[in-house]
Amino acid sequence: MQEPVHEISIPVGMLSLVGMKGCEEITTKVNNYLVEWRSQRHGELMNDADFIGYCRDNYQLKAYCPRFGTGEAKGTLKESVRGHDIYILSDVFNYGVTYKMYGMDVPMSPDDHYQDLKRVIAAISGKARRVNVIMPMLYEGRQHRRTSRESLDCALCLQELAHMGVDNIITFSAHDARVQNAIPLTGFEDVQPVYQFLKAMVNTVPDIEFDREHLMMISPDEGGMSRCMYYSSVLGVDLGMFYKRRDYSVIVNGRNPIVAHEFLGDNVAGKDVIIVDDMISSGESVLEIATKLKKMGANRIFVFAAFGLFCDGLAKFDEAARKGEISRVFTTNLIYRTPELLQRDWYTSVDMSKYIAYIVDTLNHDGSISNLLNPVHRINKLLERKRSEKK
């Protein structure tokens, strides 16, 4: 990806990054990219009045949410933010961090992370020039529409952030991006990490062939068809889909259980297959689909999922990998990944920190991120490079 160039554009405000608890690693990586780029690009502007604070050794803002013994908390800032353009990174699904409540170690839930995010925004107190929230996996994103007498939690979250003064909300691979209709006057970007997945695939599986004879894209359900259609279009390969038959007379763990997965599509025999989804929760659907594809004669099976939650652990995936039902699973580092997951031979982590740094750098100059959101040109260059290496 070519670095954006901002030779004349004056920044919206002094750039500041806030990594919420659990986001320290990826925030540090984003910060390091920004420090490197800006020192190389505009080092000579350090003394320009319009670029005061532009080139710094660290863009990370010191923000904390200390807790009392009861589990209550408050948001605190250790430095002034007046006039700053602030980007807050929040992983509300990081259960790897804990806090003390009545002497007990309690893992932070999505509700806890979301409350801490609001505490930091409240501590900013409207003094910043602009507040932007980067929430890779949307809080309550799966509760995006009402099907009975139930709450609309994601819409309420977005409205609450907008009312608190957040100017832009950036998320990745939203479960249903139409939830942005809840905040039509607030910036909302749904970023798809297509290029990053394909790049990781090329680097990890060098013998992969991107053509109709050797590869096919599979959507695990009708809701993910748009993602797979994009992949199949830019790669020029065929597309298949499974649809879920559910038992609507029963509710288990808040949802109707899946009775069977039915396949719609061309013959997969002898082809490598990529299953594309927004998340892996329990992994039940993906593994069942992989088993069916193997029975249909598919060659290697790869899984692309922006978010690897693995709520039911890794044992089922270990077994599927041992049986050869899946060859490799790709998920991003946008949310928490356990140390056990990172050690698995069948797992590949897709680093998104550089992409986030490009987005932050461009938005800080109030520039258009259209080229960053549409990776067709970068994907074509990647495919051309692969074809030239093959020759």
Side-chain angles (χ1 to χ4, degrees):
M1 187 188 297
Q2 185 178 1
E3 182 199 339
V5 179
H6 311 288
E7 292 297 338
I8 302 175
S9 175
I10 297 173
V12 172
M14 188 182 297
L15 175 62
S16 288
L17 299 173
V18 176
M20 299 299 296
K21 197 169 184 180
C23 289
E24 295 86 356
E25 180 182 351
I26 191 168
T27 305
T28 298
K29 287 183 177 181
V30 172
N31 176 72
N32 291 341
Y33 280 118
L34 293 170
V35 170
E36 178 185 354
W37 295 341
R38 294 196 168 193
S39 63
Q40 293 175 355
R41 184 199 309 147
H42 284 308
E44 72 279 4
L45 296 176
M46 277 185 161
N47 297 321
D48 191 309
D50 292 324
F51 287 81
I52 295 298
Y54 186 81
C55 298
R56 310 203 303 273
D57 294 332
N58 185 20
Y59 295 97
Q60 297 185 72
L61 183 68
K62 296 177 181 177
Y64 304 96
C65 289
R67 290 187 177 265
F68 304 101
T70 58
E72 298 168 290
K74 63 180 179 180
T76 61
L77 303 177
K78 297 298 183 180
E79 52 192 290
S80 172
V81 296
R82 188 177 294 276
H84 287 215
D85 187 22
I86 298 179
Y87 295 81
I88 307 175
L89 282 79
S90 176
D91 173 15
V92 297
F93 291 89
N94 191 330
Y95 62 95
V97 292
T98 62
Y99 62 91
K100 287 282 188 182
M101 185 172 71
Y102 294 99
M104 299 179 291
D105 281 326
V106 180
M108 289 188 70
S109 70
D111 291 342
D112 292 321
H113 284 290
Y114 177 53
Q115 285 300 120
D116 277 0
L117 170 63
K118 292 193 295 181
R119 289 178 178 116
V120 169
I121 296 172
I124 293 171
S125 305
K127 302 299 190 297
R129 180 70 55 82
R130 189 172 65 176
V131 176
N132 311 272
V133 170
I134 302 175
M135 187 184 292
M137 186 172 176
L138 273 181
Y139 173 75
E140 296 287 2
R142 284 180 281 183
Q143 185 54 24
H144 61 284
R145 62 189 176 95
R146 177 175 286 147
T147 56
S148 63
R149 291 184 293 274
E150 56 190 21
S151 59
L152 290 173
D153 297 64
C154 188
L156 288 173
C157 158
L158 297 178
Q159 289 180 350
E160 194 168 15
L161 292 177
H163 292 158
M164 293 185 75
V166 173
D167 295 277
N168 294 298
I169 298 171
I170 301 164
T171 191
F172 288 78
S173 198
H175 191 68
D176 190 336
R178 288 175 295 183
V179 75
Q180 68 183 289
N181 293 337
I183 49 168
L185 301 181
T186 301
F188 183 98
E189 299 293 346
D190 177 28
V191 184
Q192 300 296 331
V194 177
Y195 171 74
Q196 286 71 24
F197 272 107
L198 293 176
K199 185 178 179 181
M201 169 68 90
V202 169
N203 292 336
T204 309
V205 190
D207 62 338
I208 190 72
E209 297 287 345
F210 294 107
D211 57 55
R212 290 179 184 273
E213 290 73 30
H214 299 92
L215 183 67
M216 190 169 179
M217 308 302 301
I218 298 293
S219 174
D221 53 42
E222 59 276 15
M225 275 297 289
S226 60
R227 297 185 195 92
C228 280
M229 287 170 64
Y230 189 88
Y231 276 99
S232 65
S233 297
V234 296
L235 296 177
V237 299
D238 289 330
L239 169 66
M241 183 195 82
F242 282 85
Y243 69 91
K244 300 173 181 176
R245 281 202 293 117
R246 295 181 179 271
D247 183 357
Y248 289 98
S249 65
V250 179
I251 296 179
V252 179
N253 294 328
R255 61 179 183 174
N256 303 107
I258 299 170
V259 176
H261 289 89
E262 305 291 347
F263 180 67
L264 298 173
D266 204 354
N267 186 14
V268 301
K271 295 182 180 180
D272 289 333
V273 169
I274 300 177
I275 303 172
V276 182
D277 208 352
D278 59 335
M279 72 179 76
I280 296 174
S281 183
S282 66
E284 181 181 310
S285 295
V286 168
L287 294 178
E288 183 177 337
I289 288 170
T291 301
K292 285 182 175 290
L293 288 170
K294 271 296 180 182
K295 290 179 179 178
M296 294 164 61
N299 186 22
R300 295 176 296 182
I301 296 177
F302 305 98
V303 180
F304 286 2
F307 311 112
L309 300 172
F310 298 99
C311 296
D312 291 349
L314 305 175
K316 294 179 181 178
F317 283 86
D318 290 336
E319 181 67 13
R322 186 187 65 79
K323 292 180 178 179
E325 293 175 350
I326 57 170
S327 296
R328 188 158 290 274
V329 176
F330 296 79
T331 73
T332 69
N333 64 337
L334 292 169
I335 65 170
Y336 174 65
R337 297 145 304 142
T338 64
E340 293 77 19
L341 175 62
L342 296 174
Q343 294 171 2
R344 291 302 197 268
D345 293 335
W346 47 262
Y347 176 73
T348 296
S349 177
V350 180
D351 188 6
M352 299 296 296
S353 56
K354 190 173 185 179
Y355 194 19
I356 293 176
Y358 280 129
I359 293 173
V360 169
D361 193 30
T362 304
L363 289 179
N364 181 236
H365 287 267
D366 211 16
S368 171
I369 60 173
S370 298
N371 290 333
L372 292 174
L373 299 180
N374 185 6
V376 172
H377 177 66
R378 281 169 280 145
I379 292 173
N380 288 336
K381 288 182 63 177
L382 178 68
L383 297 178
E384 289 173 8
R385 187 173 77 243
K386 180 167 176 56
R387 294 188 190 104
S388 64
E389 290 174 356
K390 184 180 177 182
K391 295 178 181 179

